[in-house]
Amino acid sequence: MSPSVVPDPCPLDLELRLEPGGRFVYVSDLHLTDTGPGDDFEATAELCELVDSLRGHPGQVLLALGGDILDLLQVAGAPDERVARALDGPAAVPLGAALRRLAARPGATVLYLVGNHDSTLAWDGTARKLVADRFGVSEFALHARVRVQRPDGGEVVVVAEHGDALD
């Protein structure tokens, strides 16, 4: 990073609530690239079907993209071009369309938890904006606490993160 570039960090922690009857879905490690030997994700149609099915859930939906969704370490080109190139990849384009449809549904939230292969998103606000626009993401963080409200009035806290720090 050049000295003239000022980092724009995403939040370290985020807290969200999930109402009774809501659905929490966690997807991680897709490692989407533009093309080449690292582009080996083969379940695009199935993942898009899952995301589209969430639009029909009658309650709140929280979809967490749990890091390494994009594999920016496997994308060639200048650092400031890698996010756009990965988002134009063969799996990212249809997935992005499905995620935007979900995000447009009232009561649905798409969260992106940054991982080690997409760590650029942790400090590059321009890259996060591009991902937000293409994937319908409304929140970015490194860690999230999801407070799941139980029908009996209690709650369970689910901690969601990429997990590479635990390696």
Side-chain angles (χ1 to χ4, degrees):
M1 184 174 344
S2 73
S4 63
V5 176
V6 177
D8 177 16
C10 75
L12 177 61
D13 292 301
L14 182 67
E15 188 166 305
L16 300 168
R17 291 194 161 293
L18 189 66
E19 301 165 1
R23 181 155 294 167
F24 176 66
V25 177
Y26 183 93
V27 176
S28 74
D29 292 282
L30 303 181
H31 291 272
L32 303 180
T33 66
D34 51 352
T35 57
D39 182 27
D40 61 358
F41 185 70
E42 296 181 359
T44 304
E46 293 83 356
L47 182 56
C48 290
E49 183 178 326
L50 169 67
V51 171
D52 281 333
S53 75
L54 294 172
R55 292 173 46 219
H57 182 70
Q60 181 187 6
V61 173
L62 174 57
L63 173 60
L65 300 173
D68 291 358
I69 300 303
L70 304 177
D71 192 338
L72 302 175
L73 301 179
Q74 300 298 321
V75 179
D80 60 341
E81 298 172 355
R82 290 182 183 158
V83 172
R85 289 181 63 140
L87 290 168
D88 286 337
V93 170
L95 176 59
L99 289 167
R100 286 190 311 275
R101 287 190 298 271
L102 174 62
R105 173 197 174 276
T109 301
V110 178
L111 162 68
Y112 199 115
L113 300 169
V114 178
N116 55 322
H117 286 240
D118 48 17
S119 61
T120 296
L121 301 176
W123 63 81
D124 186 334
T126 302
R128 284 196 307 276
K129 171 82 169 95
L130 188 55
V131 170
D133 291 346
R134 296 277 192 93
F135 278 1
V137 173
S138 60
E139 303 282 354
F140 287 87
L142 298 183
H143 312 275
R145 285 178 190 77
V146 180
R147 295 188 173 280
V148 181
Q149 296 176 337
R150 296 188 325 226
D152 67 4
E155 72 177 16
V156 174
V157 177
V158 177
V159 176
E161 62 184 26
H162 177 60
D164 58 290
L166 304 175
D167 287 347

